[in-house]
Amino acid sequence: MEAAASRNSVPPERARPFFSFVLAVITVAALLCAAPLARLPEQLPDLPAAFWVMAGLAVLVDSRPFTPPGRRQSSAVFPSICFTFAIMLGWGLAPAVAVQAAAVVVSSWRMRHVWWRAAFNIAQYALALTAAYGVSRFADLTRIGWGDVLVVGAAAAAWFAVKYSTVTVAVRLLFGGRWWAMFRQGLAFELLSIGALLLLSPVLLAAAEASAALIPLVVVPLYAVYRMARLSAEQEHLSRVDPLTGLANRKGLLGEVADQLPAHAERGAKGAAERHLALLVLDLDRFKHVNDALGHAVGDRLLVEVGSRLIGAVRPGDVVARLGGDEFAILAPCLNSVDEARDLATRVVGALAKPVALDGLPLDVSGSMGIAVYPAHGEDFATLLRHADVAMYDAKHRGDTITVYAPESDHNSPERLSLLADLRRALEHPGDRQINMYYQPQIAIDTGEVVGVEALLRWRHPRHGMVDPEELIRVAEQSAVMRLLTRRVVDDVVEQVAKWTAAGLNLRAALNVSVRDLHDGEIADQIAERLTRYALPADRLQLEITEGALMADPRRVLATIARLDKIGVAIALDDFGTGYSSMQHLRRLPLAEVKVDRSFVLGMATDADDAAIVRSVIELAGALGLRVVAEGVEDERTWRLLHSAGCHVAQGWFYARPMPADELVAWLSRYRAISPNGPAA
């Protein structure tokens, strides 16, 4: 349990207060122990054989102290304190300090400590022994009773308090941070190991009273304590390390952040120049494909190589961790700006750019990185990690390599998480009618006939009222709740269309599906099962997908769409014109319909460019034999322009707003077809 530092490792701004404290401890110890040590030569001739055996063992065992593994600031365990504490109890302060000093000199020589560090450690022990000696004088160690045992325990506590406090103050002055946090950090380990050694001392002293020959036997329990401490520390160390890559794991990264944050908080409180601490999260692209194609053994070797490259790309002092799977993290302290964090991320990306050669096969490695910075993006590990994750997924979604956290991209704020929990409860209780489907009619422009409806999701929250549909999808789409929501929508819509069919209303219902739905072929199985259950023709159902959903993972999405097309469910490309690869999609997909995005339709009556875009989309779709639906038709002029451009179907407030199923039936009974060749009804 010694302060760990060398002159070269002391930051210049901390050198003065640290060495001032070192000098103060040495001075106080020298003043307190000078007089007892001056009388030591007179005591030496009268000291028994038991003392010399203990002194020799104290120096011997400290020649190989135990230093716990790991990067975190931990103190070595020096078994000599068992013997020196016993010497203090039996023969006084001066012999104990002298023996302890000799043991420190030997251990410092073996560990190559600088001279002032050895002197500082001797001074710490001297102060601790002095405090313990002062307490122990209240005990009668010639006839030990229960009260005397309590006094000895108090003396051990005094020794521990003085020694541990001086160490933690020194570490705090050296590395910064909050003293109380540092005090608590290693307290459990120190109490276990040091406490066992100190409380073994009175037993050792009692054995010495019987025979000096019994003293060496204590080496066996000392070795047991040594092994216990080593195994405990190694287990703790292993719990913080990823066994595959040797990098820190999530727990280890948490410990590193806990070590770093207090120093940064203290700098901020003192108004020091702002230094940032950044947490970078990296998720590899297409790693699952490597596992699937080449096996997990190759995937593991790839992860090891990625870890090695990350270590080579970061700065000294940065921490690289593997969070699990193909997700890595980098903790970068002492950055001058967010731009420096970006530069570090760019270096990491560059380090991964070169293919990894495994068994002669070059494997491309790439990934998306998210950056969260303390304190702007969070003041604790959990918040920083969550925000770095949000930024990473935002980068994936946008096709970027590196993204810094932005609150507007965070779909998991506490409010949204609460809303998500409420949504899950509503979906898990089908009898709770918070979730409902509204239907907006789709009208054939030429004839005015109602040819179908679009099913639109609505959620009336018990406290917040009607939740905005876009917010509802944002809340659900990034979680497993989306699957529950899709199940509810498919069930409700298929059941409703079956009821209309039984009542003689032949309507086709279009419903929207999310990216997550299309990545999982389960939706095709669900729709097929529901159509069979209600004996409903497949052409009564149509799925609307967006170009964004296609681009998220074209291979899996196309596979799901092909299955739906085989069932007979029509596919419509929604929000057409807002994507960036529309021609390719029209050529490759088994589409029945395209929907012109409302942003163009709304402006076509007043904006010539919007009108030109709509006409071009209609002509293109017509050349490919696809039906065209215009959404957002809100006035007669737009309706007539769409008719003249050759659009097939329209929907919007010009005809009707979305409405519940029972209101739609009433509306249909009142509806009169509108002819574009005559006045609007």
Side-chain angles (χ1 to χ4, degrees):
M1 194 170 72
E2 299 190 5
S6 67
R7 181 176 295 276
N8 293 333
S9 68
V10 180
E13 69 274 13
R14 302 190 186 279
R16 185 183 183 111
F18 173 75
F19 284 111
S20 296
F21 177 72
V22 169
L23 181 60
V25 170
I26 294 173
T27 302
V28 172
L31 292 174
L32 291 174
C33 297
L37 288 172
R39 295 191 295 271
L40 181 60
E42 302 173 4
Q43 290 181 260
L44 290 178
D46 299 326
L47 292 173
F51 164 79
W52 296 105
V53 173
M54 287 189 192
L57 288 174
V59 174
L60 178 65
V61 295
D62 266 16
S63 63
R64 192 178 179 184
F66 164 54
T67 303
R71 296 184 67 241
R72 298 186 71 187
Q73 184 64 36
S74 298
S75 300
V77 177
F78 293 85
S80 62
I81 62 178
C82 172
F83 297 102
T84 56
F85 194 75
I87 290 171
M88 182 274 298
L89 292 174
W91 297 287
L93 178 62
V97 171
V99 173
Q100 188 69 75
V104 169
V105 169
V106 170
S107 63
S108 297
W109 174 72
R110 286 292 304 271
M111 300 174 76
R112 299 183 180 181
H113 290 168
V114 292
W115 68 267
W116 62 261
R117 182 173 175 183
F120 180 44
N121 288 330
I122 291 172
Q124 292 177 70
Y125 282 119
L127 288 180
L129 286 167
T130 301
Y133 180 69
V135 176
S136 68
R137 298 184 68 181
F138 292 97
D140 181 4
L141 298 178
T142 60
R143 298 177 61 186
I144 296 179
W146 289 105
D148 301 310
V149 171
L150 292 176
V151 173
V152 171
W159 188 103
F160 182 86
V162 171
K163 185 66 171 67
Y164 192 64
S165 296
T166 54
V167 169
T168 51
V169 169
V171 172
R172 188 266 178 199
L173 292 173
L174 188 61
F175 298 107
R178 298 176 182 175
W179 175 79
W180 178 242
M182 296 210 173
F183 187 89
R184 290 183 303 171
Q185 176 181 308
L187 185 59
F189 174 79
E190 302 287 0
L191 278 174
L192 179 64
S193 57
I194 305 303
L197 292 172
L198 291 174
L199 295 179
L200 185 60
S201 298
V203 178
L204 178 62
L205 187 61
E209 291 290 331
S211 171
L214 294 174
I215 296 174
L217 296 180
V218 82
V219 172
V220 175
L222 276 181
Y223 180 74
V225 171
Y226 172 85
R227 290 298 301 168
M228 177 188 66
R230 173 171 288 277
L231 291 173
S232 174
E234 287 178 349
Q235 185 178 14
E236 173 68 13
H237 175 62
L238 290 174
S239 73
R240 297 172 180 271
V241 173
D242 173 51
L244 175 64
T245 62
L247 304 174
N249 60 13
R250 186 180 294 266
K251 182 179 179 181
L253 182 64
L254 171 60
E256 295 290 349
V257 173
D259 289 347
Q260 296 282 353
L261 288 185
H264 282 264
E266 183 183 24
R267 289 181 61 88
K270 291 182 176 180
E274 185 176 11
R275 301 295 293 274
H276 299 276
L277 180 147
L279 185 61
L280 292 71
V281 171
L282 166 70
D283 187 79
L284 301 182
D285 295 331
R286 300 175 300 279
F287 178 72
K288 183 178 183 298
H289 298 169
V290 175
N291 271 343
D292 292 344
L294 303 177
H296 289 278
V298 174
D300 287 349
R301 291 166 59 195
L302 178 61
L303 292 174
V304 172
E305 175 62 23
V306 169
S308 177
R309 291 192 182 188
L310 293 181
I311 292 174
V314 301
R315 310 166 305 162
D318 293 344
V319 179
V320 180
R322 180 185 174 216
L323 300 180
D326 60 344
E327 193 172 40
F328 294 82
I330 298 170
L331 179 67
C334 300
L335 297 170
N336 293 315
S337 65
V338 177
D339 288 338
E340 274 195 32
R342 276 188 172 275
D343 291 341
L344 174 60
T346 302
R347 288 202 305 274
V348 170
V349 171
L352 299 177
K354 183 180 177 182
V356 177
L358 295 177
D359 298 334
L361 181 66
L363 301 176
D364 289 324
V365 181
S366 62
S368 301
M369 297 193 71
I371 302 172
V373 177
Y374 172 90
H377 302 149
E379 298 185 354
D380 57 75
F381 173 74
T383 304
L384 284 172
L385 182 60
R386 186 173 69 81
H387 287 172
D389 260 332
V390 168
M392 182 268 292
Y393 282 112
D394 189 34
K396 279 188 178 295
H397 181 71
R398 290 163 32 182
D400 293 339
T401 306
I402 302 166
T403 299
V404 178
Y405 172 76
E408 57 269 22
S409 300
D410 191 352
H411 304 317
N412 295 310
S413 64
E415 294 78 10
R416 282 183 174 168
L417 290 175
S418 174
L419 205 61
L420 182 64
D422 292 341
L423 178 58
R424 178 184 288 275
R425 281 191 291 270
L427 291 170
E428 289 175 345
H429 297 85
D432 188 342
R433 303 308 299 176
Q434 294 181 31
I435 305 295
N436 290 289
M437 300 306 302
Y438 278 48
Y439 300 89
Q440 186 171 35
Q442 296 178 329
I443 313 296
I445 295 179
D446 276 342
T447 64
E449 177 189 1
V450 179
V451 294
V453 294
E454 181 180 5
L456 300 167
L457 189 63
R458 295 293 184 265
W459 179 23
R460 188 176 296 278
H461 192 278
R463 294 192 309 277
H464 304 301
M466 195 67 78
V467 177
D468 180 81
E470 291 186 3
E471 176 70 8
L472 169 58
I473 297 302
R474 278 196 296 266
V475 165
E477 195 163 27
Q478 301 299 321
S479 74
V481 173
M482 192 67 217
R483 178 174 295 182
L484 296 175
L485 189 60
T486 300
R487 281 182 170 276
R488 170 69 71 85
V489 170
V490 171
D491 287 350
D492 287 358
V493 171
V494 173
E495 181 180 2
Q496 184 59 61
V497 174
K499 289 179 180 178
W500 285 334
T501 302
L505 294 176
N506 296 320
L507 296 175
R508 179 189 67 244
L511 58 93
N512 296 276
V513 291
S514 74
V515 177
R516 293 175 68 96
D517 299 325
L518 295 172
H519 283 180
D520 188 348
E522 181 182 331
I523 189 172
D525 296 331
Q526 182 190 2
I527 289 175
E529 191 275 329
R530 295 304 187 273
L531 292 174
T532 301
R533 176 190 296 182
Y534 291 101
L536 190 67
D539 61 4
R540 297 293 172 85
L541 200 64
Q542 177 172 289
L543 296 192
E544 297 184 356
I545 64 174
T546 63
E547 289 183 82
L550 282 173
M551 295 309 298
D553 191 336
R555 183 180 60 83
R556 284 199 288 177
V557 170
L558 286 171
T560 302
I561 290 174
R563 289 184 61 194
L564 291 166
D565 179 63
K566 188 175 181 180
I567 294 170
V569 175
I571 305 296
L573 190 60
D574 198 7
D575 299 336
F576 187 74
T578 59
Y580 45 85
S581 55
S582 303
M583 286 292 293
Q584 182 184 14
H585 293 163
L586 288 175
R587 181 173 56 85
R588 294 171 60 194
L589 294 174
L591 295 176
E593 172 182 294
V594 294
K595 296 190 72 174
V596 186
D597 186 70
R598 63 183 291 111
S599 61
F600 301 122
V601 175
L602 287 170
M604 67 180 298
T606 56
D607 189 309
D609 291 337
D610 283 348
I613 291 172
V614 173
R615 285 194 298 270
S616 298
V617 170
I618 293 171
E619 290 172 4
L620 174 61
L624 295 171
L626 300 176
R627 183 172 60 247
V628 181
V629 177
E631 55 183 356
V633 181
E634 298 190 357
D635 55 59
E636 181 180 346
R637 186 180 178 190
T638 301
W639 168 62
R640 293 190 180 279
L641 287 172
L642 288 168
H643 174 259
S644 63
C647 185
H648 304 107
V649 179
Q651 73 178 81
W653 288 9
F654 176 67
Y655 297 104
R657 298 191 179 197
M659 63 194 84
D662 54 350
E663 293 183 19
L664 177 67
V665 174
W667 179 86
L668 287 171
S669 67
R670 299 190 305 268
Y671 173 72
R672 297 294 179 268
I674 304 173
S675 170
N677 299 316

